[in-house]
Amino acid sequence: MSLVEEFNDYRMRMNERIMSYDNKVIKRFFNLDTNTYMEGALDVKTKEMLGLVASMVLRCDDCIKYHVGKCYEQGIKDEEIMEVFSIANLVGGSIVIPHFRRAVEYWEELKERGSAE
C-alpha cells in the first residue's frame, strides 16, 4: 500500500470511529476545521498553503500529509509547493527539515499517482 493510500485509509477509518461516539464538542471542532478551509475572503488554495506552513512549523506529520494532499488537489505546482516549504523551513528552523523530507516524498507520490491515472 502506498503512503497516500495508507494515510487516507487510516484517516477515513479513524474519523468514522471518532464520529461514531456522537460527541457534540468533537463534531463542532471537526465542523469548525472544515468551514475554516472553505472559500472565503481567502481562496481555498491560499488557505491550504497557510495550513501546510503551520503544520510544518508545528511538526505534525499527519497534518502535513493532509495539507500537501489538499494543495495537490488545488493544482499547486512544484514551484509553489517549494516556496511554501521554504517559508515553513525559514519560520520553523532546521528542526523542520525531517518533516520537509517526508512532505517532499508525499508530494512526489501524489504526482506519480496523478500521472498514472
PDB file of all heavy atoms in Angstrom, residues 42-76:
ATOM      1  N   LEU A  42     -10.218  34.596   1.649  1.00  0.00           N
ATOM      2  CA  LEU A  42      -9.071  33.923   1.027  1.00  0.00           C
ATOM      3  C   LEU A  42      -9.575  32.725   0.243  1.00  0.00           C
ATOM      4  O   LEU A  42     -10.516  32.049   0.680  1.00  0.00           O
ATOM      5  CB  LEU A  42      -8.080  33.438   2.092  1.00  0.00           C
ATOM      6  CG  LEU A  42      -7.394  34.505   2.936  1.00  0.00           C
ATOM      7  CD1 LEU A  42      -6.562  33.846   4.030  1.00  0.00           C
ATOM      8  CD2 LEU A  42      -6.534  35.410   2.076  1.00  0.00           C
ATOM      9  N   ASP A  43      -8.942  32.436  -0.872  1.00  0.00           N
ATOM     10  CA  ASP A  43      -9.342  31.254  -1.633  1.00  0.00           C
ATOM     11  C   ASP A  43      -8.815  29.985  -0.962  1.00  0.00           C
ATOM     12  O   ASP A  43      -7.949  30.031  -0.086  1.00  0.00           O
ATOM     13  CB  ASP A  43      -8.899  31.353  -3.097  1.00  0.00           C
ATOM     14  CG  ASP A  43      -7.389  31.447  -3.283  1.00  0.00           C
ATOM     15  OD1 ASP A  43      -6.625  31.075  -2.371  1.00  0.00           O
ATOM     16  OD2 ASP A  43      -6.965  31.887  -4.367  1.00  0.00           O
ATOM     17  N   VAL A  44      -9.373  28.848  -1.355  1.00  0.00           N
ATOM     18  CA  VAL A  44      -9.028  27.564  -0.740  1.00  0.00           C
ATOM     19  C   VAL A  44      -7.543  27.259  -0.910  1.00  0.00           C
ATOM     20  O   VAL A  44      -6.885  26.781   0.026  1.00  0.00           O
ATOM     21  CB  VAL A  44      -9.914  26.435  -1.318  1.00  0.00           C
ATOM     22  CG1 VAL A  44      -9.455  25.073  -0.811  1.00  0.00           C
ATOM     23  CG2 VAL A  44     -11.376  26.679  -0.969  1.00  0.00           C
ATOM     24  N   LYS A  45      -7.007  27.539  -2.077  1.00  0.00           N
ATOM     25  CA  LYS A  45      -5.588  27.269  -2.349  1.00  0.00           C
ATOM     26  C   LYS A  45      -4.698  27.990  -1.334  1.00  0.00           C
ATOM     27  O   LYS A  45      -3.801  27.387  -0.746  1.00  0.00           O
ATOM     28  CB  LYS A  45      -5.255  27.714  -3.777  1.00  0.00           C
ATOM     29  CG  LYS A  45      -3.819  27.533  -4.173  1.00  0.00           C
ATOM     30  CD  LYS A  45      -3.621  27.994  -5.622  1.00  0.00           C
ATOM     31  CE  LYS A  45      -2.181  28.011  -6.010  1.00  0.00           C
ATOM     32  NZ  LYS A  45      -1.977  28.456  -7.393  1.00  0.00           N
ATOM     33  N   THR A  46      -4.960  29.266  -1.093  1.00  0.00           N
ATOM     34  CA  THR A  46      -4.171  30.047  -0.138  1.00  0.00           C
ATOM     35  C   THR A  46      -4.321  29.485   1.264  1.00  0.00           C
ATOM     36  O   THR A  46      -3.334  29.336   1.999  1.00  0.00           O
ATOM     37  CB  THR A  46      -4.598  31.525  -0.174  1.00  0.00           C
ATOM     38  OG1 THR A  46      -4.389  32.029  -1.504  1.00  0.00           O
ATOM     39  CG2 THR A  46      -3.809  32.361   0.817  1.00  0.00           C
ATOM     40  N   LYS A  47      -5.548  29.146   1.651  1.00  0.00           N
ATOM     41  CA  LYS A  47      -5.780  28.600   2.986  1.00  0.00           C
ATOM     42  C   LYS A  47      -5.036  27.286   3.181  1.00  0.00           C
ATOM     43  O   LYS A  47      -4.471  27.030   4.252  1.00  0.00           O
ATOM     44  CB  LYS A  47      -7.270  28.415   3.237  1.00  0.00           C
ATOM     45  CG  LYS A  47      -8.010  29.726   3.414  1.00  0.00           C
ATOM     46  CD  LYS A  47      -9.485  29.478   3.686  1.00  0.00           C
ATOM     47  CE  LYS A  47     -10.211  30.773   3.990  1.00  0.00           C
ATOM     48  NZ  LYS A  47     -11.597  30.536   4.425  1.00  0.00           N
ATOM     49  N   GLU A  48      -5.013  26.439   2.163  1.00  0.00           N
ATOM     50  CA  GLU A  48      -4.297  25.163   2.279  1.00  0.00           C
ATOM     51  C   GLU A  48      -2.789  25.379   2.379  1.00  0.00           C
ATOM     52  O   GLU A  48      -2.105  24.674   3.127  1.00  0.00           O
ATOM     53  CB  GLU A  48      -4.647  24.233   1.118  1.00  0.00           C
ATOM     54  CG  GLU A  48      -6.061  23.699   1.177  1.00  0.00           C
ATOM     55  CD  GLU A  48      -6.385  22.896   2.432  1.00  0.00           C
ATOM     56  OE1 GLU A  48      -5.472  22.397   3.110  1.00  0.00           O
ATOM     57  OE2 GLU A  48      -7.588  22.766   2.742  1.00  0.00           O
ATOM     58  N   MET A  49      -2.276  26.356   1.648  1.00  0.00           N
ATOM     59  CA  MET A  49      -0.846  26.654   1.757  1.00  0.00           C
ATOM     60  C   MET A  49      -0.513  27.182   3.154  1.00  0.00           C
ATOM     61  O   MET A  49       0.514  26.801   3.730  1.00  0.00           O
ATOM     62  CB  MET A  49      -0.415  27.637   0.673  1.00  0.00           C
ATOM     63  CG  MET A  49      -0.427  27.033  -0.717  1.00  0.00           C
ATOM     64  SD  MET A  49       0.283  28.085  -2.014  1.00  0.00           S
ATOM     65  CE  MET A  49      -0.921  29.408  -2.109  1.00  0.00           C
ATOM     66  N   LEU A  50      -1.381  28.022   3.711  1.00  0.00           N
ATOM     67  CA  LEU A  50      -1.181  28.511   5.078  1.00  0.00           C
ATOM     68  C   LEU A  50      -1.247  27.355   6.079  1.00  0.00           C
ATOM     69  O   LEU A  50      -0.433  27.279   7.015  1.00  0.00           O
ATOM     70  CB  LEU A  50      -2.238  29.560   5.426  1.00  0.00           C
ATOM     71  CG  LEU A  50      -2.116  30.906   4.718  1.00  0.00           C
ATOM     72  CD1 LEU A  50      -3.374  31.727   4.922  1.00  0.00           C
ATOM     73  CD2 LEU A  50      -0.885  31.658   5.190  1.00  0.00           C
ATOM     74  N   GLY A  51      -2.212  26.468   5.885  1.00  0.00           N
ATOM     75  CA  GLY A  51      -2.329  25.297   6.748  1.00  0.00           C
ATOM     76  C   GLY A  51      -1.092  24.418   6.683  1.00  0.00           C
ATOM     77  O   GLY A  51      -0.642  23.876   7.703  1.00  0.00           O
ATOM     78  N   LEU A  52      -0.520  24.296   5.490  1.00  0.00           N
ATOM     79  CA  LEU A  52       0.684  23.482   5.331  1.00  0.00           C
ATOM     80  C   LEU A  52       1.867  24.109   6.059  1.00  0.00           C
ATOM     81  O   LEU A  52       2.607  23.410   6.764  1.00  0.00           O
ATOM     82  CB  LEU A  52       0.994  23.283   3.842  1.00  0.00           C
ATOM     83  CG  LEU A  52       2.258  22.498   3.519  1.00  0.00           C
ATOM     84  CD1 LEU A  52       2.275  21.130   4.204  1.00  0.00           C
ATOM     85  CD2 LEU A  52       2.408  22.363   2.005  1.00  0.00           C
ATOM     86  N   VAL A  53       2.048  25.412   5.930  1.00  0.00           N
ATOM     87  CA  VAL A  53       3.146  26.079   6.641  1.00  0.00           C
ATOM     88  C   VAL A  53       2.984  25.882   8.151  1.00  0.00           C
ATOM     89  O   VAL A  53       3.930  25.493   8.843  1.00  0.00           O
ATOM     90  CB  VAL A  53       3.224  27.582   6.287  1.00  0.00           C
ATOM     91  CG1 VAL A  53       4.167  28.315   7.241  1.00  0.00           C
ATOM     92  CG2 VAL A  53       3.692  27.773   4.857  1.00  0.00           C
ATOM     93  N   ALA A  54       1.779  26.136   8.654  1.00  0.00           N
ATOM     94  CA  ALA A  54       1.549  25.982  10.096  1.00  0.00           C
ATOM     95  C   ALA A  54       1.816  24.549  10.540  1.00  0.00           C
ATOM     96  O   ALA A  54       2.435  24.315  11.587  1.00  0.00           O
ATOM     97  CB  ALA A  54       0.121  26.395  10.445  1.00  0.00           C
ATOM     98  N   SER A  55       1.371  23.584   9.753  1.00  0.00           N
ATOM     99  CA  SER A  55       1.560  22.170  10.105  1.00  0.00           C
ATOM    100  C   SER A  55       3.025  21.789  10.134  1.00  0.00           C
ATOM    101  O   SER A  55       3.466  21.024  10.999  1.00  0.00           O
ATOM    102  CB  SER A  55       0.809  21.283   9.115  1.00  0.00           C
ATOM    103  OG  SER A  55      -0.572  21.527   9.197  1.00  0.00           O
ATOM    104  N   MET A  56       3.794  22.330   9.187  1.00  0.00           N
ATOM    105  CA  MET A  56       5.224  22.024   9.163  1.00  0.00           C
ATOM    106  C   MET A  56       5.937  22.652  10.355  1.00  0.00           C
ATOM    107  O   MET A  56       6.768  22.008  10.997  1.00  0.00           O
ATOM    108  CB  MET A  56       5.842  22.470   7.840  1.00  0.00           C
ATOM    109  CG  MET A  56       5.374  21.607   6.664  1.00  0.00           C
ATOM    110  SD  MET A  56       6.138  22.050   5.098  1.00  0.00           S
ATOM    111  CE  MET A  56       7.789  21.375   5.347  1.00  0.00           C
ATOM    112  N   VAL A  57       5.597  23.891  10.661  1.00  0.00           N
ATOM    113  CA  VAL A  57       6.233  24.570  11.787  1.00  0.00           C
ATOM    114  C   VAL A  57       5.880  23.860  13.099  1.00  0.00           C
ATOM    115  O   VAL A  57       6.719  23.721  13.993  1.00  0.00           O
ATOM    116  CB  VAL A  57       5.840  26.067  11.814  1.00  0.00           C
ATOM    117  CG1 VAL A  57       6.288  26.730  13.109  1.00  0.00           C
ATOM    118  CG2 VAL A  57       6.437  26.786  10.605  1.00  0.00           C
ATOM    119  N   LEU A  58       4.642  23.365  13.198  1.00  0.00           N
ATOM    120  CA  LEU A  58       4.227  22.634  14.399  1.00  0.00           C
ATOM    121  C   LEU A  58       4.681  21.169  14.381  1.00  0.00           C
ATOM    122  O   LEU A  58       4.508  20.457  15.367  1.00  0.00           O
ATOM    123  CB  LEU A  58       2.707  22.705  14.554  1.00  0.00           C
ATOM    124  CG  LEU A  58       2.184  24.109  14.865  1.00  0.00           C
ATOM    125  CD1 LEU A  58       0.665  24.152  14.741  1.00  0.00           C
ATOM    126  CD2 LEU A  58       2.625  24.545  16.249  1.00  0.00           C
ATOM    127  N   ARG A  59       5.229  20.735  13.247  1.00  0.00           N
ATOM    128  CA  ARG A  59       5.813  19.398  13.072  1.00  0.00           C
ATOM    129  C   ARG A  59       4.799  18.275  13.268  1.00  0.00           C
ATOM    130  O   ARG A  59       5.049  17.286  13.948  1.00  0.00           O
ATOM    131  CB  ARG A  59       7.034  19.240  13.983  1.00  0.00           C
ATOM    132  CG  ARG A  59       8.100  20.258  13.688  1.00  0.00           C
ATOM    133  CD  ARG A  59       9.361  20.103  14.483  1.00  0.00           C
ATOM    134  NE  ARG A  59       9.226  19.975  15.917  1.00  0.00           N
ATOM    135  CZ  ARG A  59       9.182  20.982  16.777  1.00  0.00           C
ATOM    136  NH1 ARG A  59       9.221  22.219  16.346  1.00  0.00           N
ATOM    137  NH2 ARG A  59       9.097  20.757  18.072  1.00  0.00           N
ATOM    138  N   CYS A  60       3.641  18.451  12.638  1.00  0.00           N
ATOM    139  CA  CYS A  60       2.583  17.432  12.684  1.00  0.00           C
ATOM    140  C   CYS A  60       2.561  16.695  11.340  1.00  0.00           C
ATOM    141  O   CYS A  60       2.018  17.199  10.357  1.00  0.00           O
ATOM    142  CB  CYS A  60       1.231  18.092  12.958  1.00  0.00           C
ATOM    143  SG  CYS A  60      -0.148  16.923  12.859  1.00  0.00           S
ATOM    144  N   ASP A  61       3.157  15.511  11.284  1.00  0.00           N
ATOM    145  CA  ASP A  61       3.261  14.793  10.014  1.00  0.00           C
ATOM    146  C   ASP A  61       1.902  14.455   9.404  1.00  0.00           C
ATOM    147  O   ASP A  61       1.738  14.542   8.183  1.00  0.00           O
ATOM    148  CB  ASP A  61       4.106  13.522  10.164  1.00  0.00           C
ATOM    149  CG  ASP A  61       5.595  13.811  10.173  1.00  0.00           C
ATOM    150  OD1 ASP A  61       6.023  14.808   9.556  1.00  0.00           O
ATOM    151  OD2 ASP A  61       6.347  13.039  10.795  1.00  0.00           O
ATOM    152  N   ASP A  62       0.924  14.071  10.227  1.00  0.00           N
ATOM    153  CA  ASP A  62      -0.407  13.798   9.672  1.00  0.00           C
ATOM    154  C   ASP A  62      -1.002  15.059   9.051  1.00  0.00           C
ATOM    155  O   ASP A  62      -1.587  15.018   7.973  1.00  0.00           O
ATOM    156  CB  ASP A  62      -1.356  13.260  10.738  1.00  0.00           C
ATOM    157  CG  ASP A  62      -1.168  11.775  11.010  1.00  0.00           C
ATOM    158  OD1 ASP A  62      -0.231  11.169  10.445  1.00  0.00           O
ATOM    159  OD2 ASP A  62      -1.971  11.219  11.774  1.00  0.00           O
ATOM    160  N   CYS A  63      -0.861  16.178   9.742  1.00  0.00           N
ATOM    161  CA  CYS A  63      -1.387  17.448   9.226  1.00  0.00           C
ATOM    162  C   CYS A  63      -0.669  17.842   7.938  1.00  0.00           C
ATOM    163  O   CYS A  63      -1.290  18.335   6.987  1.00  0.00           O
ATOM    164  CB  CYS A  63      -1.211  18.552  10.260  1.00  0.00           C
ATOM    165  SG  CYS A  63      -1.983  18.202  11.858  1.00  0.00           S
ATOM    166  N   ILE A  64       0.635  17.627   7.904  1.00  0.00           N
ATOM    167  CA  ILE A  64       1.423  17.947   6.717  1.00  0.00           C
ATOM    168  C   ILE A  64       0.917  17.131   5.531  1.00  0.00           C
ATOM    169  O   ILE A  64       0.664  17.678   4.448  1.00  0.00           O
ATOM    170  CB  ILE A  64       2.927  17.701   6.962  1.00  0.00           C
ATOM    171  CG1 ILE A  64       3.465  18.706   7.985  1.00  0.00           C
ATOM    172  CG2 ILE A  64       3.716  17.761   5.650  1.00  0.00           C
ATOM    173  CD1 ILE A  64       4.839  18.364   8.540  1.00  0.00           C
ATOM    174  N   LYS A  65       0.757  15.822   5.717  1.00  0.00           N
ATOM    175  CA  LYS A  65       0.262  14.975   4.629  1.00  0.00           C
ATOM    176  C   LYS A  65      -1.106  15.451   4.162  1.00  0.00           C
ATOM    177  O   LYS A  65      -1.374  15.526   2.960  1.00  0.00           O
ATOM    178  CB  LYS A  65       0.187  13.512   5.073  1.00  0.00           C
ATOM    179  CG  LYS A  65       1.535  12.850   5.186  1.00  0.00           C
ATOM    180  CD  LYS A  65       1.385  11.432   5.727  1.00  0.00           C
ATOM    181  CE  LYS A  65       2.729  10.792   5.899  1.00  0.00           C
ATOM    182  NZ  LYS A  65       2.643   9.516   6.612  1.00  0.00           N
ATOM    183  N   TYR A  66      -1.976  15.756   5.104  1.00  0.00           N
ATOM    184  CA  TYR A  66      -3.322  16.208   4.757  1.00  0.00           C
ATOM    185  C   TYR A  66      -3.254  17.472   3.890  1.00  0.00           C
ATOM    186  O   TYR A  66      -3.879  17.544   2.834  1.00  0.00           O
ATOM    187  CB  TYR A  66      -4.141  16.463   6.025  1.00  0.00           C
ATOM    188  CG  TYR A  66      -5.504  17.017   5.718  1.00  0.00           C
ATOM    189  CD1 TYR A  66      -6.528  16.175   5.298  1.00  0.00           C
ATOM    190  CD2 TYR A  66      -5.756  18.381   5.803  1.00  0.00           C
ATOM    191  CE1 TYR A  66      -7.782  16.679   4.987  1.00  0.00           C
ATOM    192  CE2 TYR A  66      -7.007  18.890   5.502  1.00  0.00           C
ATOM    193  CZ  TYR A  66      -8.013  18.035   5.088  1.00  0.00           C
ATOM    194  OH  TYR A  66      -9.249  18.541   4.774  1.00  0.00           O
ATOM    195  N   HIS A  67      -2.484  18.459   4.325  1.00  0.00           N
ATOM    196  CA  HIS A  67      -2.425  19.722   3.594  1.00  0.00           C
ATOM    197  C   HIS A  67      -1.633  19.602   2.293  1.00  0.00           C
ATOM    198  O   HIS A  67      -1.975  20.279   1.314  1.00  0.00           O
ATOM    199  CB  HIS A  67      -1.882  20.839   4.480  1.00  0.00           C
ATOM    200  CG  HIS A  67      -2.849  21.256   5.532  1.00  0.00           C
ATOM    201  ND1 HIS A  67      -4.027  21.907   5.245  1.00  0.00           N
ATOM    202  CD2 HIS A  67      -2.829  21.092   6.878  1.00  0.00           C
ATOM    203  CE1 HIS A  67      -4.687  22.142   6.360  1.00  0.00           C
ATOM    204  NE2 HIS A  67      -3.984  21.637   7.374  1.00  0.00           N
ATOM    205  N   VAL A  68      -0.624  18.755   2.249  1.00  0.00           N
ATOM    206  CA  VAL A  68       0.068  18.505   0.978  1.00  0.00           C
ATOM    207  C   VAL A  68      -0.932  17.928  -0.022  1.00  0.00           C
ATOM    208  O   VAL A  68      -0.987  18.348  -1.183  1.00  0.00           O
ATOM    209  CB  VAL A  68       1.294  17.579   1.156  1.00  0.00           C
ATOM    210  CG1 VAL A  68       1.800  17.060  -0.178  1.00  0.00           C
ATOM    211  CG2 VAL A  68       2.420  18.308   1.879  1.00  0.00           C
ATOM    212  N   GLY A  69      -1.746  16.975   0.435  1.00  0.00           N
ATOM    213  CA  GLY A  69      -2.768  16.393  -0.440  1.00  0.00           C
ATOM    214  C   GLY A  69      -3.772  17.423  -0.915  1.00  0.00           C
ATOM    215  O   GLY A  69      -4.160  17.452  -2.087  1.00  0.00           O
ATOM    216  N   LYS A  70      -4.211  18.291  -0.018  1.00  0.00           N
ATOM    217  CA  LYS A  70      -5.168  19.338  -0.388  1.00  0.00           C
ATOM    218  C   LYS A  70      -4.532  20.343  -1.348  1.00  0.00           C
ATOM    219  O   LYS A  70      -5.189  20.818  -2.284  1.00  0.00           O
ATOM    220  CB  LYS A  70      -5.712  20.050   0.854  1.00  0.00           C
ATOM    221  CG  LYS A  70      -6.635  19.189   1.674  1.00  0.00           C
ATOM    222  CD  LYS A  70      -7.865  18.820   0.853  1.00  0.00           C
ATOM    223  CE  LYS A  70      -8.897  18.090   1.652  1.00  0.00           C
ATOM    224  NZ  LYS A  70     -10.072  17.742   0.852  1.00  0.00           N
ATOM    225  N   CYS A  71      -3.269  20.665  -1.127  1.00  0.00           N
ATOM    226  CA  CYS A  71      -2.559  21.554  -2.054  1.00  0.00           C
ATOM    227  C   CYS A  71      -2.482  20.926  -3.439  1.00  0.00           C
ATOM    228  O   CYS A  71      -2.692  21.592  -4.447  1.00  0.00           O
ATOM    229  CB  CYS A  71      -1.154  21.867  -1.532  1.00  0.00           C
ATOM    230  SG  CYS A  71      -1.113  23.047  -0.156  1.00  0.00           S
ATOM    231  N   TYR A  72      -2.208  19.634  -3.468  1.00  0.00           N
ATOM    232  CA  TYR A  72      -2.165  18.922  -4.746  1.00  0.00           C
ATOM    233  C   TYR A  72      -3.523  18.994  -5.443  1.00  0.00           C
ATOM    234  O   TYR A  72      -3.604  19.279  -6.639  1.00  0.00           O
ATOM    235  CB  TYR A  72      -1.737  17.466  -4.527  1.00  0.00           C
ATOM    236  CG  TYR A  72      -1.665  16.677  -5.806  1.00  0.00           C
ATOM    237  CD1 TYR A  72      -0.552  16.778  -6.627  1.00  0.00           C
ATOM    238  CD2 TYR A  72      -2.706  15.837  -6.199  1.00  0.00           C
ATOM    239  CE1 TYR A  72      -0.479  16.064  -7.819  1.00  0.00           C
ATOM    240  CE2 TYR A  72      -2.646  15.130  -7.376  1.00  0.00           C
ATOM    241  CZ  TYR A  72      -1.533  15.246  -8.185  1.00  0.00           C
ATOM    242  OH  TYR A  72      -1.478  14.547  -9.363  1.00  0.00           O
ATOM    243  N   GLU A  73      -4.595  18.770  -4.684  1.00  0.00           N
ATOM    244  CA  GLU A  73      -5.945  18.848  -5.246  1.00  0.00           C
ATOM    245  C   GLU A  73      -6.265  20.238  -5.777  1.00  0.00           C
ATOM    246  O   GLU A  73      -7.050  20.384  -6.717  1.00  0.00           O
ATOM    247  CB  GLU A  73      -6.991  18.476  -4.180  1.00  0.00           C
ATOM    248  CG  GLU A  73      -7.015  17.023  -3.817  1.00  0.00           C
ATOM    249  CD  GLU A  73      -7.961  16.722  -2.652  1.00  0.00           C
ATOM    250  OE1 GLU A  73      -8.768  17.617  -2.273  1.00  0.00           O
ATOM    251  OE2 GLU A  73      -7.888  15.609  -2.114  1.00  0.00           O
ATOM    252  N   GLN A  74      -5.661  21.260  -5.184  1.00  0.00           N
ATOM    253  CA  GLN A  74      -5.892  22.640  -5.626  1.00  0.00           C
ATOM    254  C   GLN A  74      -5.033  23.021  -6.839  1.00  0.00           C
ATOM    255  O   GLN A  74      -5.089  24.150  -7.304  1.00  0.00           O
ATOM    256  CB  GLN A  74      -5.624  23.619  -4.476  1.00  0.00           C
ATOM    257  CG  GLN A  74      -6.660  23.557  -3.380  1.00  0.00           C
ATOM    258  CD  GLN A  74      -8.047  23.917  -3.880  1.00  0.00           C
ATOM    259  OE1 GLN A  74      -8.232  24.911  -4.554  1.00  0.00           O
ATOM    260  NE2 GLN A  74      -9.016  23.070  -3.569  1.00  0.00           N
ATOM    261  N   GLY A  75      -4.241  22.076  -7.319  1.00  0.00           N
ATOM    262  CA  GLY A  75      -3.460  22.318  -8.531  1.00  0.00           C
ATOM    263  C   GLY A  75      -2.174  23.091  -8.314  1.00  0.00           C
ATOM    264  O   GLY A  75      -1.629  23.681  -9.248  1.00  0.00           O
ATOM    265  N   ILE A  76      -1.677  23.076  -7.102  1.00  0.00           N
ATOM    266  CA  ILE A  76      -0.435  23.781  -6.806  1.00  0.00           C
ATOM    267  C   ILE A  76       0.706  23.125  -7.590  1.00  0.00           C
ATOM    268  O   ILE A  76       0.793  21.902  -7.687  1.00  0.00           O
ATOM    269  CB  ILE A  76      -0.178  23.789  -5.288  1.00  0.00           C
ATOM    270  CG1 ILE A  76      -1.200  24.708  -4.630  1.00  0.00           C
ATOM    271  CG2 ILE A  76       1.240  24.214  -4.955  1.00  0.00           C
ATOM    272  CD1 ILE A  76      -1.151  24.724  -3.130  1.00  0.00           C
TER     273      ILE A  76
END
